[in-house]
């Protein structure tokens, strides 16, 4: 029997969950997570270093990329330590305060990630649809204001989550279904009515992730319309090629997010293993994939990285 099942209910702590039924091979499972952690930290740090030290990369597209890299670093640092604690040291216990702090940063950084992808879509829209005004529209002060507003939005929507959860008593069980803390996971353990939390969580998802994804979709509709009007086939492909990295980042972030939202709210009988895997992909996929994709697809960034490592 697993350690989770043998642990008595303690209202002062939660118990995190690894791979159910795979406790005997947790040490082996930790190996890919260690690699993901290492690649995520190093990859995003290298991108930040290259962009900061190379003045030729101080352009809107790379500034947005650096913001995305900072967000991905935050997500990795916030989530992977508790995941590795489970698989390496069988450390499942987490206090309520630590859990609420972690869930705030997870939800906050997830909303920032969504905002960064929206800003990058706006960048591609201006670059392709209105290239002559690109430099005058995306000025550094305007980019800083946009980033500050999105950070404020992230704090405003994520800050109520811990306070909404602190008012509950948890008497059913204290075992969470993931290796980290999420609002929708914790609220299911409350003894009292969770209607307010359900409504607020759904409302926040609609006005952030779903709204951002809709705006990104509309921006690409306009981009596609502008690209198809280009008579030169070569120029058309070149314009589309500048969007591939961003499209990969959008798919890696939003597909697991939408899948988890649907499962948590409308398909509660789904396999716990499926929810756990989607949760890992949702939080660990972007920090791992984004630096790899952007390093490969961005010719200027790739050249600078190669130059640094060759030295």
């Amino acid at each position: 029997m697993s350690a989770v099942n043998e642990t008595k209910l303690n209202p002062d702590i939660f118990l995190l969950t690894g791979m159910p039924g795979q406790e005997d091979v947790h040490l082996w499972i930790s190996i890919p997570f260690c690699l993901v952690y290492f690649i995520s930290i190093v990859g995003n740090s290298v991108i930040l270093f290259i962009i900061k030290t190379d003045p030729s990369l101080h352009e809107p597209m790379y500034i947005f990329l650096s913001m995305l890299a900072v967000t991905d670093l935050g997500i990795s640092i916030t989530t992977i330590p508790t995941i590795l604690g489970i698989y390496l040291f069988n450390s499942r216990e987490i206090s309520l305060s630590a859990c609420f702090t972690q869930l705030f940063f997870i939800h906050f950084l997830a909303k920032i990630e969504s905002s960064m992808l929206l800003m990058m879509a706006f960048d591609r829209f201006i670059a392709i649809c209105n290239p002559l005004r690109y430099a005058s529209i995306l000025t550094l002060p305007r980019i800083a204001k946009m980033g500050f507003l999105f950070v404020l939005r992230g704090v405003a929507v994520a800050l109520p989550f811990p306070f909404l959860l602190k008012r509950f008593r948890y008497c059913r069980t204290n075992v969470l279904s993931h290796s980290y803390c999420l609002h929708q996971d914790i609220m299911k353990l409350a003894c009292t009515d969770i209607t307010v939390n359900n409504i607020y969580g759904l409302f926040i998802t609609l006005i952030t992730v779903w709204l951002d994804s809709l705006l990104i979709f509309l921006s690409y509709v306009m981009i596609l319309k502008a690209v198809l009007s280009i008579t030169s086939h070569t120029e058309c492909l070149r314009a589309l090629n500048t969007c591939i990295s961003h499209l990969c980042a959008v798919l890696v972030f939003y597909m697991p997010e939408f899948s988890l939202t649907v499962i948590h709210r409308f398909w509660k009988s789904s396999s716990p293993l499926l929810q756990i895997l989607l949760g890992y992909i949702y939080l660990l996929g972007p920090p791992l994939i984004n630096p790899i994709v952007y390093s490969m697809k961005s010719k200027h960034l790739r050249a600078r990285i190669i130059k640094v490592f060759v030295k």
Side-chain angles (χ1 to χ4, degrees), residues 218-231:
L218 293 176
S219 69
Y220 270 101
V221 170
M222 300 299 293
I223 288 172
L224 188 60
K225 182 180 177 182
V227 167
L228 292 177
S229 65
I230 300 175
T231 55

Side-chain angles (χ1 to χ4, degrees), residues 14-20 26 29 33 78-87 91-94 99 102-103 106 175-182 185 272 275-277 279-280 283-284:
F14 288 120
L15 295 177
L16 302 171
T17 301
M19 293 285 187
H26 270 188
I29 296 175
F33 284 109
T78 302
T79 56
I80 297 187
T82 57
I83 297 173
L84 292 180
I86 293 173
Y87 293 113
S91 175
R92 290 185 168 88
E93 294 187 359
I94 184 171
C99 192
Q102 186 187 48
L103 78 87
I106 288 176
V175 180
L176 300 176
S177 58
H178 293 285
S179 307
Y180 42 82
C181 300
L182 295 174
D185 197 15
Q275 297 184 29
I276 291 171
L277 290 176
Y280 286 143
L283 286 179
L284 307 184

